[in-house]
Short mmCIF file of all heavy atoms in Angstrom, two decimals:
data_model
loop_
_atom_site.label_atom_id
_atom_site.label_comp_id
_atom_site.label_asym_id
_atom_site.label_seq_id
_atom_site.Cartn_x
_atom_site.Cartn_y
_atom_site.Cartn_z
N GLY A 251 -16.89 -14.58 18.46
CA GLY A 251 -17.94 -14.66 19.47
C GLY A 251 -18.25 -16.11 19.75
O GLY A 251 -17.87 -16.99 18.98
N ARG A 252 -18.93 -16.36 20.86
CA ARG A 252 -19.27 -17.75 21.18
C ARG A 252 -20.31 -18.25 20.17
O ARG A 252 -20.92 -17.44 19.44
CB ARG A 252 -19.77 -17.84 22.62
CG ARG A 252 -21.11 -17.21 22.85
CD ARG A 252 -21.68 -17.62 24.21
NE ARG A 252 -22.83 -16.81 24.57
CZ ARG A 252 -24.07 -17.01 24.12
NH1 ARG A 252 -24.33 -17.98 23.25
NH2 ARG A 252 -25.06 -16.22 24.52
N PRO A 253 -20.54 -19.58 20.11
CA PRO A 253 -21.49 -20.11 19.12
C PRO A 253 -22.90 -19.55 19.31
O PRO A 253 -23.30 -19.23 20.43
CB PRO A 253 -21.48 -21.62 19.39
CG PRO A 253 -20.17 -21.88 20.06
CD PRO A 253 -19.85 -20.66 20.85
N ASN A 254 -23.60 -19.42 18.19
CA ASN A 254 -25.04 -19.10 18.18
C ASN A 254 -25.42 -17.65 18.53
O ASN A 254 -26.59 -17.37 18.76
CB ASN A 254 -25.78 -20.05 19.13
CG ASN A 254 -26.98 -20.66 18.43
OD1 ASN A 254 -26.98 -20.75 17.20
ND2 ASN A 254 -27.97 -21.05 19.18
N VAL A 255 -24.44 -16.77 18.55
CA VAL A 255 -24.76 -15.36 18.86
C VAL A 255 -25.19 -14.60 17.60
O VAL A 255 -25.71 -13.49 17.69
CB VAL A 255 -23.56 -14.63 19.51
CG1 VAL A 255 -23.35 -15.11 20.94
CG2 VAL A 255 -22.29 -14.82 18.70
N GLY A 256 -24.93 -15.21 16.42
CA GLY A 256 -25.33 -14.57 15.18
C GLY A 256 -24.17 -14.07 14.33
O GLY A 256 -24.32 -13.18 13.50
N LYS A 257 -22.99 -14.70 14.49
CA LYS A 257 -21.81 -14.26 13.71
C LYS A 257 -22.05 -14.45 12.21
O LYS A 257 -21.84 -13.53 11.42
CB LYS A 257 -20.56 -15.07 14.10
CG LYS A 257 -20.06 -14.80 15.50
CD LYS A 257 -18.82 -15.61 15.82
CE LYS A 257 -19.06 -17.11 15.76
NZ LYS A 257 -20.05 -17.59 16.74
N SER A 258 -22.50 -15.66 11.83
CA SER A 258 -22.71 -15.93 10.41
C SER A 258 -23.80 -15.03 9.86
O SER A 258 -23.69 -14.52 8.74
CB SER A 258 -23.10 -17.39 10.20
OG SER A 258 -22.09 -18.21 10.71
N SER A 259 -24.85 -14.83 10.66
CA SER A 259 -25.95 -13.98 10.19
C SER A 259 -25.45 -12.55 9.97
O SER A 259 -25.79 -11.90 8.98
CB SER A 259 -27.08 -13.95 11.22
OG SER A 259 -27.45 -15.26 11.56
N LEU A 260 -24.61 -12.07 10.89
CA LEU A 260 -24.09 -10.71 10.77
C LEU A 260 -23.13 -10.60 9.57
O LEU A 260 -23.17 -9.63 8.80
CB LEU A 260 -23.35 -10.32 12.06
CG LEU A 260 -22.92 -8.87 12.13
CD1 LEU A 260 -24.13 -7.95 12.21
CD2 LEU A 260 -22.01 -8.62 13.32
N PHE A 261 -22.31 -11.62 9.42
CA PHE A 261 -21.38 -11.70 8.29
C PHE A 261 -22.17 -11.58 6.98
O PHE A 261 -21.86 -10.77 6.11
CB PHE A 261 -20.64 -13.04 8.39
CG PHE A 261 -19.68 -13.36 7.30
CD1 PHE A 261 -18.44 -12.75 7.26
CD2 PHE A 261 -19.98 -14.30 6.32
CE1 PHE A 261 -17.52 -13.07 6.26
CE2 PHE A 261 -19.07 -14.61 5.33
CZ PHE A 261 -17.85 -14.00 5.31
N ASN A 262 -23.23 -12.39 6.88
CA ASN A 262 -24.06 -12.35 5.66
C ASN A 262 -24.72 -11.00 5.49
O ASN A 262 -24.78 -10.46 4.38
CB ASN A 262 -25.15 -13.42 5.72
CG ASN A 262 -24.55 -14.80 5.64
OD1 ASN A 262 -23.45 -14.96 5.14
ND2 ASN A 262 -25.27 -15.79 6.14
N LEU A 271 -22.95 -20.46 6.27
CA LEU A 271 -24.04 -21.34 6.67
C LEU A 271 -24.65 -20.82 7.97
O LEU A 271 -23.97 -20.55 8.93
CB LEU A 271 -23.41 -22.71 6.91
CG LEU A 271 -24.29 -23.93 6.97
CD1 LEU A 271 -24.93 -24.17 5.62
CD2 LEU A 271 -23.41 -25.12 7.35
N VAL A 272 -25.96 -20.67 7.99
CA VAL A 272 -26.61 -20.23 9.22
C VAL A 272 -27.53 -21.34 9.72
O VAL A 272 -28.42 -21.77 9.02
CB VAL A 272 -27.46 -18.96 8.98
CG1 VAL A 272 -28.08 -18.49 10.28
CG2 VAL A 272 -26.62 -17.88 8.38
N THR A 273 -27.31 -21.83 10.91
CA THR A 273 -28.21 -22.86 11.46
C THR A 273 -28.44 -22.55 12.93
O THR A 273 -27.78 -21.68 13.51
CB THR A 273 -27.59 -24.27 11.40
OG1 THR A 273 -26.74 -24.43 12.51
CG2 THR A 273 -26.83 -24.51 10.13
N GLU A 274 -29.38 -23.28 13.52
CA GLU A 274 -29.65 -23.06 14.94
C GLU A 274 -28.80 -23.94 15.83
O GLU A 274 -28.84 -23.84 17.04
CB GLU A 274 -31.13 -23.26 15.21
CG GLU A 274 -31.93 -22.07 14.68
CD GLU A 274 -33.40 -22.12 15.03
OE1 GLU A 274 -33.72 -22.64 16.12
OE2 GLU A 274 -34.20 -21.65 14.22
N LEU A 275 -28.02 -24.85 15.22
CA LEU A 275 -27.14 -25.70 16.02
C LEU A 275 -25.86 -24.94 16.33
O LEU A 275 -25.19 -24.46 15.42
CB LEU A 275 -26.75 -26.96 15.23
CG LEU A 275 -27.75 -28.09 15.17
CD1 LEU A 275 -27.20 -29.18 14.24
CD2 LEU A 275 -27.97 -28.66 16.56
N PRO A 276 -25.47 -24.88 17.60
CA PRO A 276 -24.22 -24.18 17.90
C PRO A 276 -23.05 -24.88 17.21
O PRO A 276 -23.02 -26.11 17.13
CB PRO A 276 -24.08 -24.30 19.42
CG PRO A 276 -25.40 -24.74 19.92
CD PRO A 276 -26.11 -25.41 18.80
N GLY A 277 -22.12 -24.11 16.71
CA GLY A 277 -20.88 -24.69 16.18
C GLY A 277 -20.97 -25.20 14.76
O GLY A 277 -20.24 -26.10 14.37
N THR A 278 -21.87 -24.64 13.93
CA THR A 278 -21.93 -25.12 12.55
C THR A 278 -20.94 -24.41 11.63
O THR A 278 -20.67 -24.88 10.55
CB THR A 278 -23.35 -24.97 11.96
OG1 THR A 278 -23.87 -23.76 12.42
CG2 THR A 278 -24.22 -26.13 12.33
N THR A 279 -20.41 -23.29 12.04
CA THR A 279 -19.37 -22.65 11.23
C THR A 279 -18.06 -23.28 11.63
O THR A 279 -17.49 -22.96 12.65
CB THR A 279 -19.31 -21.14 11.49
OG1 THR A 279 -20.61 -20.63 11.36
CG2 THR A 279 -18.41 -20.44 10.50
N ASP A 298 -15.72 -14.84 8.99
CA ASP A 298 -16.65 -15.45 9.92
C ASP A 298 -15.89 -16.59 10.58
O ASP A 298 -15.47 -17.52 9.93
CB ASP A 298 -17.85 -15.98 9.14
CG ASP A 298 -18.90 -16.57 10.05
OD1 ASP A 298 -18.82 -16.34 11.26
OD2 ASP A 298 -19.79 -17.26 9.53
N THR A 299 -15.63 -16.46 11.86
CA THR A 299 -14.78 -17.46 12.51
C THR A 299 -15.62 -18.45 13.30
O THR A 299 -16.76 -18.17 13.66
CB THR A 299 -13.81 -16.79 13.49
OG1 THR A 299 -14.59 -16.19 14.52
CG2 THR A 299 -12.98 -15.73 12.81
N GLY A 301 -17.02 -20.28 16.40
CA GLY A 301 -17.26 -19.77 17.75
C GLY A 301 -16.19 -20.30 18.69
O GLY A 301 -15.82 -21.46 18.62
N VAL A 330 -19.20 -10.39 18.41
CA VAL A 330 -20.67 -10.48 18.41
C VAL A 330 -21.13 -11.07 19.73
O VAL A 330 -20.63 -12.10 20.18
CB VAL A 330 -21.17 -11.34 17.23
CG1 VAL A 330 -22.70 -11.28 17.16
CG2 VAL A 330 -20.56 -10.88 15.92
N ASP A 332 -24.79 -11.95 21.91
CA ASP A 332 -26.26 -12.05 21.84
C ASP A 332 -26.83 -11.12 22.90
O ASP A 332 -26.77 -11.41 24.10
CB ASP A 332 -26.66 -13.52 22.10
CG ASP A 332 -28.17 -13.72 22.01
OD1 ASP A 332 -28.91 -12.71 22.01
OD2 ASP A 332 -28.59 -14.89 21.94
N SER A 334 -29.74 -10.52 23.61
CA SER A 334 -31.02 -10.92 24.18
C SER A 334 -30.84 -11.97 25.29
O SER A 334 -31.81 -12.51 25.79
CB SER A 334 -31.93 -11.50 23.08
OG SER A 334 -31.43 -12.75 22.65
N ASN A 358 -25.90 -8.01 19.20
CA ASN A 358 -26.82 -8.50 18.17
C ASN A 358 -28.18 -8.89 18.78
O ASN A 358 -28.32 -8.99 19.98
CB ASN A 358 -26.16 -9.69 17.46
CG ASN A 358 -26.90 -10.08 16.21
OD1 ASN A 358 -27.44 -9.23 15.52
ND2 ASN A 358 -26.94 -11.37 15.92
N LYS A 359 -29.11 -9.15 17.90
CA LYS A 359 -30.49 -9.57 18.25
C LYS A 359 -31.22 -8.45 18.99
O LYS A 359 -31.96 -8.69 19.95
CB LYS A 359 -30.48 -10.89 19.06
CG LYS A 359 -29.66 -12.00 18.39
CD LYS A 359 -29.95 -13.39 18.93
CE LYS A 359 -28.99 -14.41 18.32
NZ LYS A 359 -29.20 -15.79 18.75
N SER A 360 -30.97 -7.20 18.54
CA SER A 360 -31.62 -6.06 19.19
C SER A 360 -33.12 -6.04 18.90
O SER A 360 -33.85 -5.21 19.45
CB SER A 360 -30.97 -4.75 18.73
OG SER A 360 -31.18 -4.58 17.34
N ASP A 361 -33.58 -6.95 18.03
CA ASP A 361 -35.03 -7.06 17.80
C ASP A 361 -35.71 -7.77 18.97
O ASP A 361 -36.92 -7.71 19.12
CB ASP A 361 -35.30 -7.81 16.49
CG ASP A 361 -34.55 -9.12 16.39
OD1 ASP A 361 -33.29 -9.08 16.42
OD2 ASP A 361 -35.17 -10.17 16.31
N LEU A 362 -34.92 -8.45 19.82
CA LEU A 362 -35.47 -9.13 21.00
C LEU A 362 -35.23 -8.26 22.24
O LEU A 362 -34.41 -7.34 22.19
CB LEU A 362 -34.78 -10.50 21.17
CG LEU A 362 -34.92 -11.47 19.99
CD1 LEU A 362 -34.10 -12.73 20.24
CD2 LEU A 362 -36.39 -11.82 19.75
N CYS A 394 -27.39 -3.99 17.18
CA CYS A 394 -27.82 -4.28 15.82
C CYS A 394 -28.65 -5.54 15.78
O CYS A 394 -28.71 -6.30 16.76
CB CYS A 394 -26.61 -4.42 14.90
SG CYS A 394 -25.53 -5.77 15.36
N SER A 395 -29.30 -5.73 14.65
CA SER A 395 -30.03 -6.99 14.45
C SER A 395 -29.65 -7.52 13.09
O SER A 395 -29.98 -6.91 12.06
CB SER A 395 -31.54 -6.75 14.53
OG SER A 395 -32.21 -7.88 13.99
N ALA A 396 -28.93 -8.64 13.08
CA ALA A 396 -28.52 -9.22 11.80
C ALA A 396 -29.75 -9.69 11.04
O ALA A 396 -29.79 -9.62 9.82
CB ALA A 396 -27.56 -10.39 12.05
N SER A 397 -30.78 -10.14 11.77
CA SER A 397 -31.99 -10.63 11.10
C SER A 397 -32.73 -9.50 10.39
O SER A 397 -33.15 -9.65 9.25
CB SER A 397 -32.96 -11.24 12.11
OG SER A 397 -32.34 -12.28 12.78
N LEU A 398 -32.87 -8.37 11.08
CA LEU A 398 -33.63 -7.26 10.48
C LEU A 398 -32.74 -6.34 9.64
O LEU A 398 -33.25 -5.53 8.88
CB LEU A 398 -34.31 -6.42 11.57
CG LEU A 398 -35.31 -7.13 12.50
CD1 LEU A 398 -35.93 -6.13 13.47
CD2 LEU A 398 -36.41 -7.80 11.66
N GLY A 399 -31.44 -6.44 9.82
CA GLY A 399 -30.53 -5.56 9.09
C GLY A 399 -30.47 -4.17 9.69
O GLY A 399 -30.04 -3.21 9.03
P1 GDP B 526 -23.22 -18.11 14.91
O1 GDP B 526 -23.13 -19.51 15.45
O2 GDP B 526 -22.69 -17.13 15.91
O3 GDP B 526 -22.58 -17.95 13.56
O4 GDP B 526 -24.79 -17.75 14.80
P2 GDP B 526 -25.76 -17.85 13.53
O5 GDP B 526 -25.57 -16.71 12.63
O6 GDP B 526 -25.69 -19.22 12.97
O7 GDP B 526 -27.15 -17.59 14.25
C1 GDP B 526 -27.60 -18.40 15.32
C2 GDP B 526 -29.10 -18.25 15.47
O8 GDP B 526 -29.42 -16.91 15.86
C3 GDP B 526 -29.87 -18.48 14.16
O9 GDP B 526 -31.07 -19.15 14.49
C4 GDP B 526 -30.16 -17.09 13.66
O10 GDP B 526 -31.31 -17.05 12.87
C5 GDP B 526 -30.36 -16.33 14.96
N1 GDP B 526 -30.06 -14.91 14.81
C6 GDP B 526 -28.97 -14.34 14.28
N2 GDP B 526 -29.06 -13.00 14.31
C7 GDP B 526 -30.24 -12.70 14.88
C8 GDP B 526 -30.91 -11.47 15.17
O11 GDP B 526 -30.45 -10.34 14.92
N3 GDP B 526 -32.13 -11.56 15.78
C9 GDP B 526 -32.69 -12.75 16.08
N4 GDP B 526 -33.89 -12.74 16.67
N5 GDP B 526 -32.08 -13.93 15.80
C10 GDP B 526 -30.89 -13.91 15.20
#
Side-chain angles (χ1 to χ4, degrees):
R252 70 166 168 81
N254 230 25
V255 288
K257 292 181 298 298
S258 302
S259 308
L260 187 67
F261 178 76
N262 292 338
L271 196 66
V272 182
T273 82
E274 285 186 33
L275 280 176
T278 39
T279 309
D298 183 14
T299 65
V330 186
D332 182 346
S334 70
N358 192 35
K359 309 197 186 181
S360 64
D361 51 299
L362 301 176
C394 62
S395 164
S397 302
L398 300 183

